[in-house]
Each structure stands twice: as C-alpha cells, then as structure tokens.
Amino acid sequence: GTADVIKTHHNDTELVRRLRDAGKVIEPLTDYHKDEVRLIGETLGLPKELVWRQPFPGPGLAIRVICSDGTPYTTPYDDAIVQQLKQQEEQQQKIHCCLLGFQTVGVQGDGRTYAHCVALTVNETVSRDDIVWSDLYELAKQIPRQIRHVNRVIFMHGQPLSGKQQTVTRTLLQTDVVEQLRRCDKIVNDVLYKYELITKLSQVPVILFPSNFGATASNARSVCIRTFITNDFMTGVPARIGTDIPAKAVFEMFDEILKID
C-alpha cells in the first residue's frame, strides 16, 4: 500500500498552487533544501551568523504555537493511559510520568497521528548533575510503542508529577502570545551561539504549548525546546543531552526562560 502523507509544507497551500500554475509565483530556489541554501550562502561569502542561524518557519513563529480554547484535551482512553504510565513508574522508580492536556502531532508507522503528549520528570532527590539521560531517552521511546493514543514524550524540568496534569491556558494566535514565544526563542538561540552549537544542531524549534500545571496567570504556558540532528531536514534523531548538547547549556535555557513573565 501507499503510506499516508506525513508532512505537508506550510507554504504550499491551494492558493499558492493556483498562483504557481498561473505563473504568478517566482521560485528561483525551489529545488534547494536548507543544507544546500547554507552551502550557497557560504559560497557567496555571507556572514556565518546569517548562514548558520536556525531555520526560521516561513509563516513566522506563530506556526510553533499549539493553540487551545482553554479546554483540556481528553479522551475515553485517559484513565487506561494513566494506569499504564503508573506501571512504567513502578519499573523506573526515579522517573515519573504524567498525561498532559493538549493534542500533539506525531508520526507512527506510515502515518501522521494526533494524540496525547506525556511528560517525564525525575525525583526531587535527583540533582541536575545526576540525571541519567539515557534512561529518560529509552523510556521516551518505549511509551509511544507500548501505550496506544500517545505519540510524543517530553522531559519536563521541575518537580516530579504523575497522573493527569491536564489543565491548560487559553492560547490563541494573538500578539502577546507570539511575543511570549519570541522571547523564549531568542533565549534558546543566544545559548546555542554561546556554546557554539549552531552548526552542530541542525534545527532547534522552540514551541509554546498551553499546559499550565495549575498556575492561574493568564499567560501561564509551557515551552518545549526540540533539539534535532539531521542531514536532509526530512528525517533525523533527537540531540542527546550530555552527548550532543551540554546539560549546562540546556539548564541555562531553562533558567532564563523561567524569568520571563
């Protein structure tokens, strides 16, 4: 059979296709991928900080905001998912798992899926220096394989949390929301430059999502930093903390982002 369409380009809309067919869209670089564009930039002698900056989404940072009307994303399977997460916790001992209240997009098998996101935290007795990142990575791979209706797992910085953590903040594509993400995105990119990680990490999207973990402020949201290594910008692997990116750099991002109002 034929695999489902997994990735569609956010600039290639029906309107753009009609304009292209009418000869009204000029795309001189349409056949070049991001890595090839960087090679052209180097050949032209453009500044390194311009050539190697993180790829910026065509529609702007708004494309990286997961919106919500303030209603948690729930399904009839949530209680069963939480029970299976508890079983994972019993096996891991120092790692906690919680179910979040927003929907994420992921790739499972040959198709795109929309399902739950699960967050992993560690015991309060585990210091930053003692986090066993390899255990977190392994569990993050296991959960979507073993638990249905979960397609993404993230590490969450902060106190250990279990069960359902499904409260969310109303999040729409408004100026203050996008500005919140813009400030976080700048912090992440400044740290990448500081630790000379711009050329090593192919792409580090910063995503704003509506989970608030019980905080009541109108701007209480969460930020995801997705470190990614790829050669073709189509397939790749997550950058491993402590191997591909220093843990010190990651925690510096965390600490600075937490200062944002």
Side-chain angles (χ1 to χ4, degrees):
T2 303
D4 291 340
V5 174
I6 292 176
K7 184 175 182 181
T8 52
H9 202 287
H10 44 236
N11 288 335
D12 195 18
T13 64
E14 179 64 29
L15 174 61
V16 171
R17 287 191 286 273
R18 290 203 305 268
L19 292 172
R20 185 188 297 121
D21 292 341
K24 295 182 179 180
V25 174
I26 300 173
E27 300 176 293
L29 303 179
T30 185
D31 294 326
Y32 294 104
H33 291 287
K34 295 180 180 75
D35 54 328
E36 295 167 323
V37 172
R38 282 174 169 164
L39 180 60
I40 292 172
E42 288 184 329
T43 303
L44 292 173
L46 297 178
K48 180 180 179 180
E49 61 270 19
L50 179 61
V51 172
W52 286 97
R53 63 164 292 176
Q54 286 291 300
F56 195 80
L61 286 178
I63 201 71
R64 293 179 180 165
V65 176
I66 298 178
C67 295
S68 171
D69 64 359
T71 304
Y73 170 67
T74 60
T75 75
Y77 313 105
D78 290 5
D79 289 339
I81 293 172
V82 169
Q83 287 301 317
Q84 292 177 80
L85 292 176
K86 286 182 179 178
Q87 293 174 8
Q88 294 287 348
E89 287 182 337
E90 292 170 359
Q91 296 174 19
Q92 299 293 328
Q93 296 183 340
K94 292 185 178 181
I95 300 176
H96 299 258
C97 313
C98 65
L99 187 65
L100 303 184
F102 68 99
Q103 194 177 35
T104 60
V105 61
V107 176
Q108 292 177 300
D110 287 333
R112 177 191 294 175
T113 62
Y114 297 90
H116 270 302
C117 181
V118 165
L120 306 180
T121 53
V122 295
N123 284 354
E124 291 178 332
T125 56
V126 179
S127 69
R128 288 181 170 184
D129 294 334
D130 294 330
I131 294 175
V132 183
W133 296 105
S134 58
D135 290 349
L136 289 165
Y137 279 106
E138 286 305 311
L139 185 56
K141 289 191 294 184
Q142 289 176 24
I143 287 176
R145 294 173 182 168
Q146 298 176 4
I147 302 178
R148 294 186 62 192
H149 309 293
V150 173
N151 67 0
R152 191 171 297 278
V153 179
I154 60 176
F155 167 71
M156 186 169 63
H157 176 53
Q159 66 184 43
L161 293 172
S162 299
K164 296 180 182 180
Q165 299 291 332
Q166 295 182 303
T167 57
V168 292
T169 296
R170 179 178 168 86
T171 301
L172 305 177
L173 294 183
Q174 298 172 325
T175 301
D176 60 324
V177 175
V178 178
E179 173 64 14
Q180 189 178 33
L181 176 57
R182 187 194 66 79
R183 294 172 67 188
C184 296
D185 184 77
K186 185 179 188 306
I187 288 171
V188 170
N189 279 280
D190 285 348
V191 173
L192 292 176
Y193 274 108
K194 176 180 176 180
Y195 288 87
E196 299 182 345
L197 294 167
I198 289 294
T199 58
K200 185 174 183 179
L201 302 183
S202 310
Q203 194 164 13
V204 186
V206 181
I207 298 99
L208 191 71
F209 62 97
S211 291
N212 60 34
F213 303 100
T216 57
S218 61
N219 63 349
R221 300 182 179 90
S222 300
V223 177
C224 176
I225 304 167
R226 190 181 179 209
T227 55
F228 192 63
I229 297 177
T230 178
N231 292 322
D232 58 8
F233 288 91
M234 299 295 286
T235 58
V237 296
R240 288 182 172 267
I241 298 172
T243 302
D244 303 309
I245 178 172
K248 181 180 179 181
V250 174
F251 287 117
E252 188 170 325
M253 294 175 187
F254 290 171
D255 292 340
E256 291 302 312
I257 287 173
L258 286 171
K259 296 176 184 178
I260 293 178
D261 295 332

